[in-house]
Amino acid sequence: MALTGKNIRQLRSLAHHLNPTIIIGKGDVNDGTVEQANAALEAHELIKCSVLDTSSLDVREAASELAERCGAEVVQVIGRKFSIYRETSRDDIEKIKLD
């Protein structure tokens, strides 16, 4: 699902207040990180992640790799943090309504 500019602006405003759920360190984007991100995306749809200085990846590389492995879209990259979005398949969660 390709996000439009309007969708990205909406998701960026929602992500601004979030605390990082996933922290990527010296292990980079491994299977455990992907599992955690998938679980968080199913529960929340929009998550913020942080990349530590010990990671060998830069922030954009980590964001694109995690998003690709989770089937998500990168919403924003600022400093050492990034946000990704994927619509949940669960029906018991209130979904983010994109304009």
Side-chain angles (χ1 to χ4, degrees):
M1 171 188 165
L3 297 172
T4 65
K6 190 173 186 180
N7 295 150
I8 290 173
R9 283 192 300 276
Q10 179 185 0
L11 290 169
R12 281 190 346 216
S13 71
L14 292 171
H16 176 76
H17 303 289
L18 297 177
N19 291 322
T21 307
I22 306 295
I23 298 173
I24 298 171
K26 66 181 180 181
D28 294 333
V29 179
N30 55 31
D31 293 338
T33 307
V34 173
E35 284 178 29
Q36 283 182 331
N38 277 326
L41 285 166
E42 277 300 309
H44 304 290
E45 291 190 320
L46 179 66
I47 61 171
K48 187 181 274 188
C49 307
S50 178
V51 180
L52 300 177
D53 291 332
T54 57
S55 176
S56 64
L57 299 173
D58 86 339
V59 182
R60 290 194 185 279
E61 290 172 338
S64 62
E65 184 176 339
L66 184 61
E68 182 181 315
R69 289 181 66 178
C70 291
E73 297 279 336
V74 177
V75 174
Q76 184 177 35
V77 177
I78 294 182
R80 310 260 339 137
K81 295 182 172 74
F82 64 91
S83 303
I84 57 176
Y85 168 80
R86 182 182 75 199
E87 188 175 332
T88 185
S89 58
R90 292 173 50 180
D91 293 329
D92 61 332
I93 293 176
E94 184 176 338
K95 297 183 179 186
I96 296 172
K97 292 172 181 50
L98 296 177
D99 295 335

